[in-house]
Amino acid sequence: MSEEILINVTPVETRVAVVENGVLQEVYIERSRSKGIVGNIYQGKVVRVLPGMQAAFVDVGLERTSFIHASDIASLAQDGSDHADIRSKIREGQQLTVQVTKDPMGTKGARLTTHLSVSSRYLVYMPGAGHLGVSHRIDDEDERQRLRELMETILREGTEDGSLPPDGYILRTAAEGAGEDELRADVDFLQRLWRAVQRRMKRDPAPSIIYEDLPLFMRTMRDLVRPGLEKVRIDSRESFQRVDEFAKDFLPELRAKLEYYPGERPIFDLYSVEDEIQRALGRKVELKSGGYLIIDQTEAMTTIDINTGAFVGHRNLEETIFKTNLEAAAALARQLRLRNLGGIIIIDFIDMKDPEHRRQVLRALERAMEKDYAKTSITGVSELGLVEMTRKRTRESLEHVLCEPCRFCHGRGSLKSPETVCYEVFREILREARAYESKSLLVLASQEVVDRLLDEESASVADLEEFIGASIQFQVEAMYTQEQFDVILL
């Protein structure tokens, strides 16, 4: 499998595309006016404690107050009691050092924790956690053991009695194959970084930012570079030079794969990335077989419906359904990554009678989701053919980043038909005629509604004029949406 990363940098926006075998898999977007804040550490001030929810609102200097639950407060978690009261540890007006775990989404503020951590290329450092872990994506047990032993050796060297320090570390997926010198350099870097953070924690008042994560194009080098990566192309010379300096210090083996892209053709036109992004904003996803997916994103959950469409198969109905579901499993896994859909996801596979077919489709979905770096949990296939799953959400979906609710339908996804609006006009005319005496009324409406009133509904208009004893005139308002109208007394 070949993998490339394309980085498009402009003064107002940075976009990163992860392409596998010529097909877009993931998109990351960061805008200068609305940067993601996951990983940032703030000095916050508790503005309200909610004992009924075991949570609190914290002002960290953002537009909306942020939210922290009792389970995310380190001192409460250390008590080991399920019934510890949040009021025993924090109070209104208290200063609290917190880290963002989830960006603000919709009307909700950022989600916070006091379990602080900072990251490097190979490690995540967690002060006071007392835990040494290895990424679950490193599945070779010998390699996991080697890394754990190597880290224990490095950490014992830093203590006087040779014991393990009270702090915690997690070896990231990128640490697979890393040597002792590389891990030791990362430990030293994280220790220096944490000392700088501690100095700011003591010095800066609330609310203020203590530590800000790297910009997107730099985080890409730290978080998205995986074994098998062939090339990283960047279309900004300044950003390329910064990434090259970063790689020189921390990722020397990556420098040969970095490439400045000066081409006249926009970098996102390579591999049709722009077209793929546009398609990812639609509800319908076509499958090669002729089947399709319908993806609907709501406030509570995302639903995915699979249909055979034009695919009629070659053998029998059960085989056709099975093949469509198998293809859909791979396609929807890619769509979840591409669209960055999170939270609860309900997948409505086409009903399969054969239990073996259901097992194979579920296994195909699990294999396809193994490539996803977001944490996922999948249930079995129900009797109705439904699969429930969750995918960890830390940032807004692609649709929420690029789009806003339609001002015509207000996010409903549909408009009242001209026929429906015509009948609403008739009811409003009757209401006005009963309340006020007038010999003439003027209806202002959209072109589609006026056309129907003068054509299909002309007989009804004539009957209404006779009933109320007044003439009715119509005027097209170009600025009105299909649902808008006004009835004016003349």
Side-chain angles (χ1 to χ4, degrees):
M1 181 184 70
S2 64
E3 182 176 272
E4 286 189 34
I5 294 177
L6 310 178
I7 303 179
N8 168 229
V9 182
T10 65
V12 295
E13 182 182 61
T14 299
R15 301 185 300 169
V16 173
V18 179
V19 179
E20 293 176 5
N21 296 327
V23 179
L24 179 65
Q25 300 293 330
E26 296 176 59
V27 175
Y28 298 84
I29 298 173
E30 183 176 84
R31 291 174 172 167
S32 55
R33 292 183 179 178
S34 55
K35 290 184 178 180
I37 59 172
V38 171
N40 288 3
I41 298 176
Y42 293 88
Q43 197 75 283
K45 184 178 182 181
V46 179
V47 294
R48 190 179 178 193
V49 179
L50 307 171
M53 295 177 62
Q54 284 296 288
F57 288 110
V58 182
D59 178 16
V60 296
L62 302 176
E63 184 178 344
R64 290 190 294 273
T65 54
S66 302
F67 178 85
I68 188 167
H69 189 265
S71 60
D72 294 314
I73 299 174
S75 55
L76 274 175
Q78 289 165 1
D79 285 351
S81 171
D82 294 334
H83 306 289
D85 190 343
I86 190 171
R87 291 173 295 185
S88 66
K89 294 298 179 183
I90 63 173
R91 64 185 186 282
E92 291 183 11
Q94 179 181 340
Q95 191 164 290
L96 203 63
T97 304
V98 290
Q99 187 164 31
V100 177
T101 59
K102 190 180 290 186
D103 277 330
M105 296 183 190
T107 58
K108 299 174 182 176
R111 181 73 183 257
L112 306 175
T113 181
T114 63
H115 299 276
L116 308 182
S117 65
V118 288
S119 302
S120 64
R121 167 65 174 153
Y122 300 118
L123 301 170
V124 176
Y125 173 57
M126 304 172 295
H131 169 72
L132 181 59
V134 182
S135 168
H136 69 278
R137 292 191 175 276
I138 301 177
D139 49 18
D140 185 328
E141 197 54 46
D142 291 338
E143 176 64 7
R144 294 174 65 88
Q145 187 62 28
R146 183 190 73 87
L147 289 170
R148 193 176 281 110
E149 290 175 356
L150 205 55
M151 275 300 294
E152 287 182 356
T153 300
I154 294 169
L155 296 176
R156 289 181 193 280
E157 291 174 357
T159 59
E160 294 181 1
D161 58 357
S163 62
L164 287 174
D167 299 328
Y169 288 87
I170 294 177
L171 286 136
R172 309 179 71 185
T173 309
E176 188 169 9
E180 184 176 347
D181 291 342
E182 295 162 314
L183 294 178
R184 183 177 281 107
D186 261 24
V187 170
D188 292 342
F189 165 76
L190 289 171
Q191 291 291 338
R192 291 196 303 273
L193 175 60
W194 183 245
R195 284 195 290 271
V197 170
Q198 285 181 310
R199 286 194 293 272
R200 295 198 61 179
M201 286 165 58
K202 295 175 182 177
R203 183 187 68 207
D204 296 358
S208 61
I209 186 165
I210 300 296
Y211 165 76
E212 189 171 11
D213 207 356
L214 297 170
L216 177 59
F217 66 91
M218 301 286 276
R219 292 202 308 274
T220 299
M221 298 299 101
R222 186 189 70 192
D223 300 338
L224 299 182
V225 172
R226 304 184 261 258
L229 179 71
E230 287 191 356
K231 195 170 291 184
V232 178
R233 302 187 188 189
I234 308 173
D235 65 359
S236 162
R237 184 177 293 279
E238 179 186 351
S239 298
F240 169 78
Q241 290 171 345
R242 289 181 63 184
V243 169
D244 188 54
E245 285 296 318
F246 180 82
K248 181 180 177 182
D249 293 335
F250 300 103
L251 306 165
E253 74 282 1
L254 184 64
R255 292 189 73 189
K257 299 179 180 181
L258 295 177
E259 179 183 298
Y260 169 58
Y261 178 81
E264 293 183 4
R265 185 183 178 196
I267 191 169
F268 266 31
D269 283 0
L270 303 178
Y271 306 112
S272 302
V273 170
E274 294 285 12
D275 294 338
E276 285 292 327
I277 292 174
Q278 293 305 314
R279 280 195 283 270
L281 297 177
R283 291 179 67 227
K284 191 173 183 178
V285 179
E286 302 282 356
L287 302 176
K288 290 181 180 178
S289 65
Y292 59 91
L293 314 178
I294 297 293
I295 301 175
D296 285 310
Q297 189 178 351
T298 70
E299 185 76 18
M301 67 181 71
T302 297
T303 61
I304 303 176
D305 185 35
I306 292 103
N307 297 282
T308 55
F311 182 48
V312 295
H314 303 289
R315 300 173 67 181
N316 55 52
L317 177 61
E318 183 68 18
E319 195 67 23
T320 301
I321 290 172
F322 176 52
K323 287 185 176 179
T324 303
N325 282 339
L326 278 179
E327 185 182 5
L332 71 88
R334 172 177 171 261
Q335 290 297 324
L336 294 180
R337 293 172 64 191
L338 178 56
R339 299 170 186 240
N340 191 35
L341 298 173
I344 300 171
I345 299 163
I346 306 296
I347 306 164
D348 184 8
F349 284 107
I350 308 169
D351 291 347
M352 295 170 285
K353 296 179 181 178
D354 188 340
E356 179 60 20
H357 284 177
R358 289 200 292 268
R359 189 193 67 79
Q360 289 188 42
V361 167
L362 185 63
R363 181 67 189 119
L365 176 62
E366 290 171 343
R367 282 199 304 269
M369 294 303 301
E370 286 174 359
K371 299 178 183 178
D372 198 335
Y373 266 62
K375 185 179 180 181
T376 59
S377 176
I378 304 174
T379 69
V381 183
S382 73
E383 290 298 320
L384 297 176
L386 299 176
V387 173
E388 299 173 14
M389 66 172 288
T390 59
R391 183 174 186 269
K392 187 176 181 181
R393 175 165 48 196
T394 57
R395 55 191 175 93
E396 293 276 24
S397 68
L398 185 66
E399 178 185 330
H400 285 158
V401 170
L402 299 181
C403 305
E404 63 180 21
C406 171
R407 69 178 187 275
F408 300 114
C409 71
H410 305 292
R412 292 199 315 269
S414 59
L415 289 171
K416 293 178 183 176
S417 67
E419 182 182 19
T420 299
V421 179
C422 285
Y423 298 158
E424 288 183 354
V425 169
F426 293 159
R427 288 193 292 272
E428 184 62 24
I429 288 173
L430 283 171
R431 194 177 293 116
E432 294 286 337
R434 286 168 180 157
Y436 309 100
E437 287 188 11
S438 179
K439 293 296 182 183
S440 183
L441 298 99
L442 174 65
V443 175
L444 306 177
S446 66
Q447 183 72 61
E448 295 83 1
V449 173
V450 171
D451 287 347
R452 186 174 181 91
L453 287 166
L454 295 175
D455 191 1
E456 291 97 324
E457 306 296 339
S458 57
S460 299
V461 171
D463 291 343
L464 185 59
E465 285 180 320
E466 184 178 348
F467 180 76
I468 65 174
S471 65
I472 304 173
Q473 302 173 38
F474 302 102
Q475 180 178 315
V476 173
E477 279 293 328
M479 298 300 291
Y480 277 23
T481 68
Q482 189 164 291
E483 295 185 355
Q484 285 181 290
F485 67 87
D486 283 303
V487 177
I488 300 172
L489 302 176
L490 297 178

